[in-house]
Amino acid sequence: MALFSSVLQKALGVRQYHVASVLCQRAKVAMSHFEPNEYIRYDLLEKNINIVRKRLNRPLTLSEKIVYGHLDDPANQEIERGKTYLRLRPDRVAMQDATAQMAMLQFISSGLPKVAVPSTIHCDHLIEAQLGGEKDLRRAKDINQEVYNFLATAGAKYGVGFWRPGSGIIHQIILENYAYPGVLLIGTDSHTPNGGGLGGICIGVGGADAVDVMAGIPWELKCPKVIGVKLTGSLSGWTSPKDVILKVAGILTVKGGTGAIVEYHGPGVDSISCTGMATICNMGAEIGATTSVFPYNHRMKKYLSKTGRADIANLAEEFKDHLVPDPGCQYDQVIEINLSELKPHINGPFTPDLAHPVAEVGTVAEKEGWPLDIRVGLIGSCTNSSYEDMGRSAAVAKQALAHGLKCKSQFTITPGSEQIRATIERDGYAQILREVGGIVLANACGPCIGQWDRKDIKKGEKNTIVTSYNRNFTGRNDANPETHAFVTSPEIVTALAIAGSLKFNPETDFLTGKDGKKFKLEAPDADELPRSDFDPGQDTYQHPPKDSSGQRVDVSPTSQRLQLLEPFDKWDGKDLEDLQILIKVKGKCTTDHISAAGPWLKFRGHLDNISNNLLIGAINIENGKANSVRNAVTQEFGPVPDTARYYKKHGIRWVVIGDENYGEGSSREHAALEPRHLGGRAIITKSFARIHETNLKKQGLLPLTFADPSDYNKIHPVDKLTIQGLKDFAPGKPLKCIIKHPNGTQETILLNHTFNETQIEWFRAGSALNRMKELQQ
């Protein structure tokens, strides 16, 4: 096996990570307390930046420094923003439990003995909010025992650190333990950019990308454009870091950041806490950005020191010039926001880019017929669960309690990590939030991702909720399409939950106390970080053993939760003829529409079972309904997955037609695995979200876009399509599509793609994993 691994590493150009990582000449500082022998390589970052700056002969943005500083071959890599594909060497990988199952199943299939870079698994997605923290955690451990055991043993076998259920949300744990200025980290969750709050380039990817990095293969990323957001002025009053990204989302929309890194800079940056910067970067996923990042400053130094990483802060100070943008660097687009003039915002419903000032949302809601009565307020999540967030919310709650008031709405609190939970319990914040009517949930994702056993309404009942989360697509939080979900800051959520109405503006409106006297809430103030050290709480981390030779990873062939993977079929060398249209999607189609979460999360390790949710949320343009498509053979309407299975059984290959920004949202690669598993061959749309487009390529599907977006209107659900030109498939060369109408007429349109040579090899091999195995042979 050792010889096999060595041969594979040479064939794939694998970095000899564990050797290279100890060669730092100027200092040896560990990347984290959990990996004392894996060192930060600022010397290598500096060397690569100098090579690239000399080649390009221009100042570099911060994101360029970090990205280009991790190039596999900085001397020869072709670099052009928005066009070339970069081969990169990330520093580490992080996986949450829902996506880690498929990522680890793919890594097992690769045949490699150990991961090549530091990697971790975080159990945060499978805990359903129902009764409260401790009870919900016990229930989750019981229900998900098989999956947790698989992830724990797979981590032990292949050298991956394992954070047990109850540890907290992946992104908060990364910020507390693993992120650092200048790191290049990839994570199998779309909100991985949270780490940009500590000056790192942290990018959300699908599991197959993570497998590449864990296998030591250079990771490919289309060279990002760079959008600069210049911040002036300073935050004050009710305005919070969340309002920055809510404003930016309103400007750029859900696809305005696609293909770009959003880089914040300017004098206003220093008025934002480190965790506030993380909030802004986290929700940058909602504008389609590759990631977001802030320059290294004293706020990051303070946070690193408070979280036990003063050695990293001192090293970052030494290399600070490489952790901020060069003077005179150029951005592809610049947005300027004066923080002194920025007002509190609330975005929604149904999309995170529908921005309203809090002062105006009530009037808009009345006009649009949105329910004004707030049924539930929910704070926490990976976006807003910091010590400062909880402190500001508690400051609002404390004022209400002083006047004898409690929340009119239901109110839930989700701590971001065990460390946050323990610290807010110690410092009294949790008790204040309970006294005002809140329920403290488990340290997990919970309602933010649909893990919410909601009892106060029935499905189909029109209602409003406000959250401090990042995403508010239709049905995301509670599976009810009539829930109008709004996203805002934790302190605004708390104020609105106390008032119980969308019409309440805490900056100007009064509440009536228990004594009948009117009072106005003062703008909250809270410590950025605890005055004493953080309370770490319970120890929930499992180190991978040094010797894992005796470790077993069992997957039962009769399991309904886990399933070993079978390789996808290889391309047969022919054009794709007479493809049946499974569904022509109308309007927004997120990864939630393609592969729903909520109750389906339990099948994330079983490809066949989870494929029963394929596209059940997408709207069929033929009848305006979800999960109802015409079977072209029987002419009967039925569920999308059933129809796809029928086509697969009868050897009928099929295609999906989509609208704008198809695959927006989560990084979940199941949205790409499922159509491939059920016989899909291509997805043709007006445009794609970045992560989903890459995920489709990894699984051997063809993500194609209309050369003329209006050609979307030429295709009808009853048509058949032939995709020509695959024998001469080449980067930048369009493919032809023959549309065959039922009346015998035909028309030809052009389809664009973004495949490079490596990705074309994935398609020909049947998947990226198949291609990896070919190289092993």
Side-chain angles (χ1 to χ4, degrees), residues 341-577:
E341 298 175 355
L342 183 64
K343 288 292 186 180
H345 273 62
I346 183 168
N347 288 21
F350 306 127
T351 185
D353 59 349
L354 186 57
H356 321 274
V358 171
E360 299 173 11
V361 70
T363 302
V364 176
E366 282 186 314
K367 180 182 177 183
E368 298 292 336
W370 303 334
L372 293 173
D373 177 55
I374 297 170
R375 299 294 291 267
V376 191
L378 307 99
I379 67 169
S381 83
C382 66
T383 317
N384 278 111
S385 57
S386 68
Y387 184 81
E388 181 183 34
D389 288 328
M390 295 300 170
R392 284 174 68 89
S393 292
V396 175
K398 195 172 183 179
Q399 294 179 61
L401 289 168
H403 290 84
L405 296 186
K406 291 191 175 185
C407 292
K408 288 185 178 179
S409 311
Q410 292 183 41
F411 187 44
T412 70
I413 301 97
T414 304
S417 69
E418 170 61 9
Q419 179 167 274
I420 293 295
R421 183 208 62 78
T423 307
I424 65 171
E425 289 286 1
R426 181 197 68 193
D427 294 351
Y429 292 166
Q431 185 58 31
I432 292 170
L433 295 170
R434 287 192 190 97
E435 287 176 3
V436 85
I439 297 175
V440 178
L441 301 175
N443 314 322
C445 299
C448 183
I449 61 163
Q451 285 284 51
W452 184 16
D453 185 19
R454 190 177 180 190
K455 301 292 189 183
D456 64 300
I457 61 161
K458 295 179 181 179
K459 191 169 184 177
E461 183 180 343
K462 197 173 181 180
N463 74 103
T464 286
I465 65 173
V466 292
T467 82
S468 69
Y469 303 162
N470 44 45
R471 198 165 279 166
N472 59 344
F473 302 141
T474 303
R476 176 173 174 85
N477 302 123
D478 61 3
N480 179 14
E482 289 301 324
T483 293
H484 293 56
F486 295 83
V487 291
T488 185
S489 68
E491 51 265 49
I492 293 294
V493 171
T494 307
L496 292 177
I498 291 165
S501 172
L502 269 185
K503 291 201 73 175
F504 180 70
N505 177 11
E507 288 191 302
T508 58
D509 295 346
F510 287 81
L511 294 168
T512 302
K514 191 175 182 180
D515 59 3
K517 295 181 180 179
K518 292 187 178 296
F519 72 98
K520 195 169 78 168
L521 294 169
E522 297 295 326
D525 186 33
D527 291 334
E528 174 183 343
L529 294 163
R531 295 180 185 183
S532 54
D533 290 339
F534 278 106
D535 183 337
Q538 299 178 41
D539 181 6
T540 56
Y541 179 70
Q542 172 186 294
H543 288 270
K546 292 182 179 179
D547 181 7
S548 62
S549 57
Q551 182 67 52
R552 289 180 56 85
V553 181
D554 293 324
V555 177
S556 169
T558 60
S559 173
Q560 294 301 301
R561 298 287 300 270
L562 299 164
Q563 181 186 48
L564 293 174
L565 297 174
E566 296 290 335
F568 290 131
D569 60 298
K570 188 176 180 178
W571 177 56
D572 62 8
K574 301 177 182 178
D575 288 336
L576 297 174
E577 297 185 351

Side-chain angles (χ1 to χ4, degrees), residues 98-99 101-102 597 600-606 610 668 670:
T99 51
Q101 295 171 64
M102 194 57 66
W600 294 95
L601 281 170
K602 62 179 174 286
F603 296 125
R604 285 284 181 89
H606 197 293
I610 199 170
R668 66 191 66 155
H670 298 77

